[in-house]
Every structure is written in C-alpha cells, then in structure tokens.
Amino acid sequence: MQPPLKTLDYFQESYDIRVGQLKEKRAKGTKVIGTFCLFVPDEIIFAAGADRIVLCGGRTDTIALAEQSLPRNICPLIKSSFGAVVDACCGGSLSCAHVQLVDVVVAEATCDGKKKMYELLPRYLPTYVLDLPQKPGSPEAITYFLSELRKFGAYLEDLTGNTIHDEELKKEIHSSNETRRLLHRLFDLRRCDPPPVTGSEVLRVMQRQFFLSPEQFREGIRQLCEEMEQRIPSARTGPRIMISGCPMAAGNTKIAEIVEKKGAVIVVEESCTGTRSFWDLVDEKKEPWAALAERYLAIPCACMTPNDERISRIVDLARQYQVDGVVYYTLQFCHGYNIERLRVQQALREEKIPLLAIESDYGDSDVEQIGIRIDAFLEMIT
Ligand code: BJ8
C-alpha cells in the first residue's frame, strides 16, 4: 500500500484559510451564496461578484434536530442539510460553521424532498429557488431554463448591486472550464492499473471542491496531479470498482471506506462528488447564457426524466476505466436513484459488468452488514 499523498494536507490546510477569507469578504460587503446542487451555475454567482459555498449535509449529528420538523423517512442528505441550518440559525451547539458564512440560500427544484424542505428554509435564511424543467430533452426545456437563469442573474444583480456583464460571465466560464479540465487530468491518472490514489482520497478532495475558492481548489488539484504523476506504480491490489449513484456530501465517506478496506480499488465515481460535477465543459464559443443553460440542463441527474444520458455515461465510464464491478449507491429514500438502478443494471448486464446495489443512511449500524455484502461481491468478481 502506498503512503498517503502529501498534497492531501494542502486541502486540509486550505479549509481554515478559506473560512477566514469568507469572513473577511463578507465584512467588506461581498455576498456569500449557499447552494445545494450542481444545477446552480457557479459562473453566474461569481460573475455577479458574489461567492459561494455548498451546504449539502453529510453529517449524521444534525439529523435528530431535523427530524423534529421533517419526517424521518426522507433522504439523510436533506435531513442533515436542514438540521445544520436550524442548528446554526437557532444558536445550537453543533458548530455548523458553513451555514453561518452565507447570506442567502439558492436552492433548486430537483427532488420532492428537497423542494419541500426549501419551503421551510425561509424561516431561517433568505431563500431563492431556481426552477428546472423536468424533461430536459423537450424542445421548450432549454428556453425555459434559459429564462430561469436570466431571472436568477437579475436576482443576484439586485442582491449584490453589481451588473453581470457578458465579458465577466465569459471569464467565469473559462475559469470553471479550467477547473473541469484539471479534474479530467486527475481522473485520467486513475485509469492506470493500479491508480496512484485511492477512491477515499479523491472523494475527500472532491468534497472540498464545493467549499474552497476556485483558485485554491485548482492549485490543490495541480499539485495533486504532479505528485501522482511522479509516483512509482505499485503492484495491483484488488478489483477495479466504480461507485455510481447519490452524492456523498462532506462528512459521508462510509461506503468508499468500506469498499477499499475490503481490498477493492475505487477508480471512478459517477456521482455529483465525482464525474457529474465536471465531465462536460461549457461551450466557450457560444453566447454565454445559452451555453450555460445547455451545459447545466444536460447534467445527468436522476431527478430528470428520461435520463438516458446517465445510463450511457455509466457504461462509457465502465469501459474507459476498465471496471470489474459497479457499487450502486443510493441514499435511503432517494427514489430517483433507487428506481433508476434497474436501467443501469440492465445496461451493465449487457456489458457483463456485475452491479451491487447498496442503500444506506449516514449511521454506522449497517457497516458490518455492508462489509459482508461487499466481501461476497468482490469474491464473485475476482
Ligand atoms: S444534481 S444528485 S446534487 S439533485 S440524494 S436530496 S436527489 S433524495 S442530492 Fe442531487 Fe443536484 Fe441531482 Fe446532484 Fe434528493 Fe436523492 Fe436525497 Fe439528492
């Protein structure tokens, strides 16, 4: 086993620097936006002179508080995120530092649980909801989404007092594309057999993507790629696994850790804390608003119907990364990803790639049972 990559410390150290940076910016009048989803384009926020952090919860200790208002049988990501907001805004003791850094929340109309949770958020924080068409392939969808993005832009102009000029927006698109290219470089290195980094390490880095500034994050990825490129390849350790499914928000690394503890090697993640966040670039030759609408509406999320693009993306990734098996991860009560598993499984079966479905929450009570199922799965595919 290789020693941990030194650059991982960079991401840890940058965290405190970023907290200080955000506090300072806010003191000088910069608005900080909290978001919960990839469908909210960073480029528009940055072009309006605002900053952003993502508030998706991966912690388990905020869930009990959320369950005082929300039903227990909804997705843990929704409960964890909501509990953090309630705790931070009501002077709780859980140190949900991120919530205290934001001026407004920009939510998005994706799954039902999130939409309904967003109706409760204005009690705690000013909230703006970006609407999304649910059938991205219909001809009217792009026009509608474009009008929603422009409305969102106008809201931010009002909030910040700045005008979003096309030139500024193009600059931000270019900057975000640079981040996406760097992440492609990082993920390309994972095609090696064995890859020079573990899946748990990459997951922790990807979780930072949504908190650090773009410049900080890119610097870290550059250093990480250089360090990985200099690593001397070690011997192959175990089967190559793709994780596919729900996002793993900061604080939630359970499945990745179990899979790797059992001896498998995670080589790629098809999720919002993996390829879904960076795979497609924004077309820099097009008019910037239209290019953003096109790129963001194409995010292959299970909240959309039909979601054919996700199925073919998974098959394509499985081939590119030469995976031996797929661990399909669903957060409890996430119906979209859970039901979509059937189509994924069928498509992978045609490629003769086995799939193990795991549904879990943020607690530890199922760690042992998941470990047993992973053991059996790995035995079957090796
Ligand atoms: S683009 S995956 S971040 S919506 S896991 S809360 S879907 S019940 S987080 Fe998501 Fe945007 Fe899609 Fe990504 Fe609902 Fe499912 Fe929970 Fe989810």
Side-chain angles (χ1 to χ4, degrees):
M1 193 156 126
Q2 302 250 33
L5 290 147
K6 286 197 197 74
T7 312
L8 298 174
D9 295 341
Y10 168 92
F11 289 94
Q12 194 50 41
E13 287 151 16
S14 305
Y15 179 84
D16 292 335
I17 298 172
R18 174 67 164 155
V19 172
Q21 185 190 68
L22 284 167
K23 283 183 182 161
E24 211 173 291
K25 283 178 110 175
R26 283 187 77 202
K28 288 185 184 155
T30 301
K31 298 294 179 195
V32 178
I33 315 293
T35 62
F36 290 93
C37 178
L38 295 184
F39 278 109
V40 182
D42 285 347
E43 291 92 334
I44 301 177
I45 297 175
F46 294 138
D51 208 328
R52 76 91 182 88
I53 54 172
V54 173
L55 297 177
C56 290
R59 288 169 57 161
T60 191
D61 59 354
T62 55
I63 288 183
L65 185 56
E67 285 177 348
Q68 290 177 17
S69 323
L70 301 177
R72 295 189 69 193
N73 56 346
I74 56 169
C75 154
L77 190 148
I78 298 173
K79 287 190 288 187
S80 175
S81 309
F82 184 71
V85 171
V86 176
D87 184 75
C89 297
C90 300
S93 56
L94 298 174
S95 318
C96 301
H98 294 191
V99 179
Q100 282 152 355
L101 293 168
V102 308
D103 295 288
V104 299
V105 164
V106 174
E108 78 308 321
T110 46
C111 68
D112 288 350
K114 268 182 163 183
K115 275 188 288 204
K116 291 291 130 182
M117 184 268 274
Y118 295 149
E119 288 176 12
L120 305 177
L121 276 186
R123 297 178 190 181
Y124 306 96
L125 283 169
T127 305
Y128 178 92
V129 179
L130 174 75
D131 196 15
L132 296 172
Q134 304 288 296
K135 281 176 70 182
S138 73
E140 299 80 14
I142 192 83
T143 314
Y144 179 68
F145 189 49
L146 181 56
S147 73
E148 272 298 295
L149 290 187
R150 286 199 180 272
K151 253 200 294 187
F152 172 45
Y155 166 80
L156 287 175
E157 288 182 333
D158 204 36
L159 180 79
T160 60
N162 299 323
T163 305
I164 301 176
H165 298 288
D166 277 6
E167 280 319 303
E168 205 51 44
L169 198 53
K170 284 182 187 169
K171 220 174 84 193
E172 292 303 336
I173 289 174
H174 184 72
S175 156
S176 295
N177 275 347
E178 208 181 317
T179 308
R180 295 178 184 116
R181 282 191 201 95
L182 276 168
L183 286 170
H184 271 282
R185 180 174 158 199
L186 169 69
F187 274 59
D188 277 352
L189 288 163
R190 302 175 75 196
R191 293 172 202 241
C192 297
D193 191 13
V197 65
T198 68
S200 307
E201 287 170 333
V202 172
L203 175 60
R204 287 203 174 80
V205 168
M206 293 302 283
Q207 290 171 339
R208 287 279 189 258
Q209 178 186 181
F210 306 114
F211 186 75
L212 299 183
S213 73
E215 295 75 20
Q216 271 179 320
F217 184 68
R218 279 199 294 270
E219 180 51 33
I221 297 295
R222 249 181 235 117
Q223 287 183 26
L224 187 60
C225 288
E226 279 163 23
E227 197 183 346
M228 282 163 65
E229 280 155 2
Q230 279 159 21
R231 272 204 152 170
I232 301 170
S234 57
R236 191 178 185 190
T237 50
R240 295 170 67 84
I241 296 293
M242 164 162 51
I243 304 268
S244 170
C246 292
M248 296 178 183
N252 174 21
T253 49
K254 181 164 93 174
I255 300 300
E257 280 168 7
I258 302 175
V259 169
E260 295 192 318
K261 229 179 251 165
K262 294 292 176 186
V265 183
I266 298 170
V267 292
V268 64
E269 301 81 12
E270 185 279 322
S271 79
C272 295
T273 34
T275 54
R276 230 178 281 142
S277 72
F278 70 87
W279 204 254
D280 297 317
L281 273 63
V282 180
D283 190 338
E284 293 183 43
K285 293 194 201 86
K286 290 190 175 163
E287 190 281 322
W289 289 93
L292 285 171
E294 202 173 281
R295 188 272 177 195
Y296 279 82
L297 196 58
I299 293 171
C301 169
C303 295
M304 298 293 176
T305 187
N307 195 19
D308 299 344
E309 179 52 36
R310 176 165 179 247
I311 315 296
S312 40
R313 172 78 52 88
I314 291 169
V315 171
D316 185 41
L317 287 171
R319 287 187 194 138
Q320 285 191 38
Y321 285 82
Q322 298 181 26
V323 307
D324 300 306
V326 172
V327 171
Y328 192 93
Y329 172 65
T330 311
L331 282 168
Q332 247 178 15
F333 308 111
C334 175
H335 306 313
Y337 281 92
N338 208 353
I339 297 171
E340 205 159 272
R341 170 180 57 84
L342 297 172
R343 293 191 60 202
V344 173
Q345 195 158 23
Q346 197 173 12
L348 288 171
R349 200 175 289 137
E350 283 164 25
E351 300 285 312
K352 301 201 179 357
I353 297 171
L355 175 147
L356 173 71
I358 291 181
E359 187 178 358
S360 185
D361 59 11
Y362 288 172
D364 285 338
S365 61
D366 57 358
V367 168
E368 206 171 316
Q369 185 227 345
I370 291 171
I372 294 169
R373 294 188 59 216
I374 288 173
D375 266 336
F377 182 64
L378 298 182
E379 211 180 296
M380 184 187 88
I381 64 177
T382 36

